[in-house]
Amino acid sequence: MTHWFTDAFRAEFDKQAAEIGRFNLAIFGKTGVGKSTLINAIFGRSVAATGIGEPVTRDSHLYLDTRGTLGLIDTRGLEIGRDDAELIKEVSKYVKQMRSKPVGEQIHVAWYCVRGMDRRFEEVEATFIRTLHELGIPVLVVFTQVPMREGQYHPDAVELARQIEAKQLPIVGGRPFMTYAMRDQFTGQPPYGLMDVLQATFRVVPEAVHGALAAAQTIDLEAKAKAAQRHIGATVAAAGAAAAVPIPFSSAALLVPLQLAMMARIAHLYQLPFDKAALLAVASTTVSTTLGRSAAANLLKFLPGAGSIAGGAINASVASGFTLAMGQAWLSVCQKAAGGSLPKLDGVIDSAAVRELFESEFRKRMPVIRRREG
């Protein structure tokens, strides 16, 4: 059973990885403005490595680094204000080449980063931003390293933002986004502004990549939960459409692929690697198999003619309820796993604790069957 389940889960895990796709972010700005710090703060500490990715084409100065559901397009060897004509040429060529590709291969948004305390914004930077807009790429101007005290941004950053706004550039929101990505241990300046940048990004990227963006980012847990709930809802509807479904879970030929796909998608949303997700899934589905078999057996007593149905069939509402309970319970497991709050024994996740958590959450969400059992 375990070997079969792991193989089946692997197949769905890989399939969901392909379906969720990739969110591609192009990040530009002068050297030293803090692009890597910003990326790491929103997408994870070690995402933006030095010397990023591979050239998008031979001899290109544009580099693409793919990390699961995140693609980062950055430059190497070209500098705005020095090589802006060459950079514009390369970006234009790349964007035009990608237009015939699937949406997951295209650039979805650009962040143009400016150090908020630099006090200057050159016309070549404005030209570059206009070019990106003309190529159909939404552009956010992000001010980095902007000190804030008592809710007030540093006056130098405010003045620079005013100058940029006066240019009426085609940028998202019509203004720069003020940020401070990492807490300053010396001054105590806390991070801020990251959620504003992320939410503005969600608003302008294609809906087809919302799932990939939700999975890639690490600061908006509500966005992950909403994406998971949408997928659970879709799976529940599909389970109901399957109508009469055999029980138990382990032999439910129609439900198994749907439920495995649901579990795999949620695991991706919470960036759980396959080995860890499979371990948690095995522990969880062991419980759901037992509970599903017990719940169905008790419920069938109340269904007219149930005793004559080969193998014991249940109706669509029960299939939906069972799938909903599984999805919500599995979501709880993934959330705790991603947050590092699952108990461990000798450094290894405690499977018994996972089973207990899943069972507790599963039972909470099977009210109809629980009432019948009573």
Side-chain angles (χ1 to χ4, degrees):
M1 165 67 180
T2 300
H3 178 71
W4 167 87
F5 178 86
T6 302
D7 288 347
F9 185 66
R10 162 64 84 178
E12 288 296 340
F13 193 84
D14 293 344
K15 181 179 178 182
Q16 288 302 311
E19 289 190 4
I20 201 171
R22 193 175 72 222
F23 161 69
N24 294 319
L25 166 68
I27 186 158
F28 301 107
K30 293 183 176 180
T31 301
V33 298
K35 293 182 291 182
S36 294
T37 303
L38 179 67
I39 290 294
N40 288 338
I42 294 178
F43 296 104
R45 282 188 170 272
S46 61
V47 171
T50 302
I52 179 173
E54 298 294 331
V56 296
T57 60
R58 185 178 179 181
D59 300 326
S60 176
H61 293 84
L62 284 177
Y63 284 72
L64 170 64
D65 190 17
T66 58
R67 306 288 182 94
T69 58
L70 174 66
L72 290 174
I73 297 94
D74 203 348
T75 60
R76 189 191 306 168
L78 293 183
E79 178 78 13
I80 288 287
R82 185 193 69 197
D83 309 294
D84 40 286
E86 179 64 20
L87 181 55
I88 287 174
K89 178 181 176 182
E90 288 202 14
V91 171
S92 299
K93 179 181 178 181
Y94 178 61
V95 171
K96 290 173 183 176
Q97 287 178 339
M98 290 299 104
R99 280 180 178 158
S100 62
K101 302 288 186 180
V103 66
E105 299 297 321
Q106 299 176 27
I107 296 177
H108 303 125
V109 69
W111 293 353
Y112 189 85
C113 298
V114 177
R115 187 159 41 204
M117 302 300 291
D118 275 356
R119 301 186 182 183
R120 64 175 184 164
F121 182 80
E122 299 180 36
E123 187 56 36
V124 293
E125 297 180 272
T127 299
F128 184 67
I129 289 171
R130 292 189 185 100
T131 299
L132 292 173
H133 174 74
E134 289 167 3
L135 289 169
I137 301 174
V139 183
L140 277 70
V141 171
V142 182
F143 275 14
T144 62
Q145 305 172 37
V146 178
M148 183 173 65
R149 184 172 62 190
E150 297 179 352
Q152 299 296 314
Y153 302 121
H154 194 286
D156 289 350
V158 172
E159 173 58 24
L160 184 59
R162 187 194 65 76
Q163 293 176 21
I164 291 177
E165 289 171 29
K167 293 179 179 293
Q168 297 185 322
L169 295 174
I171 56 178
V172 175
R175 63 173 179 84
F177 290 83
M178 305 283 195
T179 70
Y180 206 96
M182 302 287 287
R183 173 178 291 278
D184 189 309
Q185 298 301 321
F186 181 74
T187 65
Q189 171 69 61
Y192 73 86
L194 303 179
M195 192 69 81
D196 290 341
V197 171
L198 180 61
Q199 290 178 347
T201 300
F202 266 112
R203 289 195 294 270
V204 298
V205 301
E207 189 171 346
V209 300
H210 277 199
L213 176 54
Q217 58 84 29
T218 59
I219 63 173
D220 190 348
L221 298 182
E222 184 178 348
K224 288 183 182 292
K226 286 181 177 178
Q229 294 290 3
R230 285 194 295 270
H231 197 74
I232 290 171
T235 306
V236 167
V245 180
I247 289 292
F249 170 85
S250 59
S251 62
L254 296 178
L255 277 187
V256 168
L258 294 173
Q259 293 171 337
L260 288 182
M262 173 180 66
M263 296 172 74
R265 173 62 69 96
I266 295 172
H268 278 297
L269 286 169
Y270 285 89
Q271 297 187 17
L272 300 181
F274 171 75
D275 290 346
K276 186 173 185 179
L279 174 67
L280 298 174
V282 168
S284 299
T285 52
T286 299
V287 177
S288 66
T289 301
T290 304
L291 291 176
R293 185 180 293 118
S294 173
N298 283 281
L299 181 61
L300 285 171
K301 297 176 183 177
F302 297 89
L303 299 178
S308 63
I309 302 176
I314 60 174
N315 63 20
S317 64
V318 176
S320 297
F322 184 77
T323 302
L324 176 62
M326 278 196 67
Q328 299 293 354
W330 174 245
L331 175 57
S332 295
V333 170
C334 289
Q335 288 172 328
K336 289 187 177 296
S341 58
L342 287 177
K344 294 184 177 181
L345 290 176
D346 299 323
V348 179
I349 292 176
D350 184 356
S351 294
V354 173
R355 285 193 294 271
E356 183 177 348
L357 169 63
F358 187 94
E359 178 176 354
S360 173
E361 296 298 323
F362 186 92
R363 286 189 180 279
K364 287 178 187 176
R365 292 169 171 84
M366 290 295 284
V368 174
I369 291 181
R370 193 167 64 246
R371 285 198 299 269
R372 296 284 194 180
E373 290 178 342

